[in-house]
Amino acid sequence: MISRENNINGYHNLASIACLLFWNWLAEYMQVIRLSAATQDYTGSIISNVHGVNPKFLEIGKKKREQQQKGEQAFTKGAYFIGKMIWSKGYKELLQLLKDHQKELSALEVDLFGSGEDSNEVQKAAEKLELAVSVHPARDHADARFHE
């Protein structure tokens, strides 16, 4: 006769084996796909841009190339930086370079566009510079304000 205690232990053993098999399967077959090299690295992860290039960006590039070929000034806005506003996207390095070369770049106006968990800290760091650096909410690369 099977006692209640043996039956319960059997279920516990079965559940334990199922969990071990599941974790083994995850370790063997799970793949972490990162959308950018700027994100945290995981062992065995791969980087893949799953979105491709928006056709709007290609059209904008063609128009700018045509302007340059005609001898027109294609870009009149100065410099801008677009990206999720987290330090790992390069904001720290950009602000450090701007700080190191403030005298040479005194006439440069820089606009930073992005939203993210480090937005407030990026804003504070930009305010410490002696350059015209403005921080704005996120915008799409195809926004007409960038391509006037």
Side-chain angles (χ1 to χ4, degrees), residues 18 46 53 91 107 121 127:
I46 60 170
V53 177
Y91 285 94
E121 291 83 11
E127 289 171 356

Side-chain angles (χ1 to χ4, degrees), residues 65-83:
R65 184 179 62 216
E66 289 170 7
Q67 287 177 317
Q68 288 176 326
Q69 289 172 343
K70 292 177 185 175
E72 299 172 5
Q73 186 175 3
F75 300 98
T76 60
K77 295 281 187 174
Y80 66 90
F81 185 88
I82 298 176

Side-chain angles (χ1 to χ4, degrees), residues 8-24:
I8 290 174
N9 287 337
Y11 285 123
H12 285 276
N13 289 340
L14 181 62
S16 298
I17 291 169
C19 284
L20 286 172
L21 289 173
F22 174 74
W23 285 108
N24 186 46

Side-chain angles (χ1 to χ4, degrees), residues 60-148:
I60 291 166
K62 288 176 186 175
K63 287 178 187 176
K64 293 300 177 183
R65 184 179 62 216
E66 289 170 7
Q67 287 177 317
Q68 288 176 326
Q69 289 172 343
K70 292 177 185 175
E72 299 172 5
Q73 186 175 3
F75 300 98
T76 60
K77 295 281 187 174
Y80 66 90
F81 185 88
I82 298 176
K84 184 174 180 182
M85 206 164 282
I86 56 176
W87 290 117
S88 63
K89 287 285 189 173
Y91 285 94
K92 187 177 291 184
E93 292 80 1
L94 174 64
L95 294 173
Q96 185 62 50
L97 284 168
L98 291 172
K99 180 181 177 185
D100 293 346
H101 299 281
Q102 289 183 99
K103 290 187 174 92
E104 303 98 314
L105 302 173
S106 61
L108 180 68
E109 295 180 18
V110 179
D111 290 292
L112 307 178
F113 295 90
S115 298
E117 55 263 21
D118 295 327
S119 295
N120 291 334
E121 291 83 11
V122 170
Q123 172 88 39
K124 289 175 188 171
E127 289 171 356
K128 293 178 182 175
L129 297 174
E130 296 173 15
L131 292 172
V133 178
S134 302
V135 179
H136 309 279
R139 291 209 180 106
D140 190 274
H141 290 279
D143 190 311
R145 288 172 272 202
F146 299 127
H147 309 288
E148 297 170 342

